[in-house]
Amino acid sequence: MSDVKRMNPLKYRSIFISDVHLGFRGCQARFLLDFLQSTHCKQLYLVGDIIDLWAMKGGFHWPDAHNQVVRAVLEKARTGTEVIYIPGNHDALFRDHLDTRFGDVRVCDEVVHTTADGRRFLVLHGDKFDGVVQNSLWLARLGSHAYDQLLALNGLISRVRRLFGLKYWSLAGYLKQRVKDAVSYIGNYEHAVATEARQRDLDGMICGHIHHAEMRRITDVTYCNCGDWVESCTALVEHHDGRLELLRWTDAYPESLAAAPVPEPAIALARAG
């Protein structure tokens, strides 16, 4: 995971982000907005769970920062970035509109991305590899509710840490790394995804879903997980030579700014357009 130094603009060939969960109280929209405004790319892949329709069923939560994220994405699409939206399980409603366009945004179930150095990666959200989501939807939603409560506690801890000038830290991410069943689940998921890439004779897989940013070789394929913008605030980026890199944006964003009002740079242009 690379430490990011704030240099504007950061230019990449492709950017992959997943599990933003707009509409959910735990969404770190301000971090994401800063990332979108600080980067340029030819292709932007939205790899599922961008909008959290599950969370919105329990009560509407849509602050202005969430609006600004949507506007920033649409502004990129309007000004030449190819934006591809791959729905996940929390925004599965958009799977009813596959192979269509919402303005300049293309909706796909999955896509094969070819890097600048010729490698081919299958890009999809990844919930199809999660047996809990596929076979027991009610259990998945119960787990989602428990996760929401954990993230609410995480928000309280973050506010306390800000008072003491400490960096962002995720309680949920910390626990996932230390609970045996969670570690086992992540490992099984990663191997299932890698097997799919191998069976399709591809060089690797780019996915999200489990909120665990990772990039590593699994036997003969490259497994990449974008992470999320709830716990880790991570993105997968492709450099212009085809090299892939995971970025943790909270390493670049001073925590004291996370609570500050969101600036409105080019958003006025998006509103006017």
Side-chain angles (χ1 to χ4, degrees), residues 54-210:
W54 289 15
M56 293 170 69
K57 288 181 179 180
F60 190 77
H61 174 76
W62 197 271
D64 190 54
H66 294 208
N67 271 337
Q68 293 194 32
V69 166
V70 173
R71 291 171 183 146
V73 169
L74 294 178
E75 177 68 8
K76 283 184 179 294
R78 190 183 69 83
T79 55
T81 298
E82 181 184 11
V83 179
I84 299 172
Y85 189 170
I86 300 170
N89 50 304
H90 283 252
D91 50 9
L93 180 64
F94 292 101
R95 288 173 173 162
D96 294 337
H97 305 281
L98 297 177
D99 301 318
T100 61
R101 288 182 177 270
F102 289 93
D104 298 304
V105 178
R106 182 158 58 101
V107 182
C108 301
D109 188 45
E110 60 181 47
V111 66
V112 174
H113 173 77
T114 303
T115 61
D117 56 5
R119 290 177 294 162
R120 298 168 67 239
F121 286 80
L122 181 64
V123 186
L124 79 178
H125 180 61
D127 57 298
K128 66 179 287 185
F129 303 103
D130 187 336
V132 174
V133 172
Q134 292 298 312
N135 301 319
S136 303
L137 186 59
W138 69 270
L139 182 58
R141 297 199 177 195
L142 179 62
S144 179
H145 177 71
Y147 181 62
D148 293 352
Q149 301 306 309
L150 177 60
L151 289 173
L153 178 59
N154 193 79
L156 175 61
I157 292 173
S158 293
R159 288 192 292 273
V160 173
R161 288 176 64 86
R162 273 201 301 271
L163 292 175
F164 291 94
L166 299 175
K167 292 179 65 175
Y168 176 83
W169 177 78
S170 170
L171 172 64
Y174 174 83
L175 292 177
K176 274 202 303 192
Q177 290 299 315
R178 282 155 181 79
V179 177
K180 181 179 179 181
D181 287 346
V183 173
S184 176
Y185 165 80
I186 290 171
N188 291 338
Y189 175 87
E190 291 175 347
H191 279 275
V193 171
T195 298
E196 178 77 7
R198 188 178 306 108
Q199 290 175 346
R200 297 201 193 190
D201 197 27
L202 297 170
D203 297 291
M205 179 81 81
I206 297 171
C207 61
H209 184 57
I210 61 172

Side-chain angles (χ1 to χ4, degrees), residues 245-262:
E245 181 182 12
L246 274 174
L247 302 181
R248 186 184 300 276
W249 197 246
T250 51
D251 293 338
Y253 200 145
E255 180 63 19
S256 59
L257 295 180
V262 180

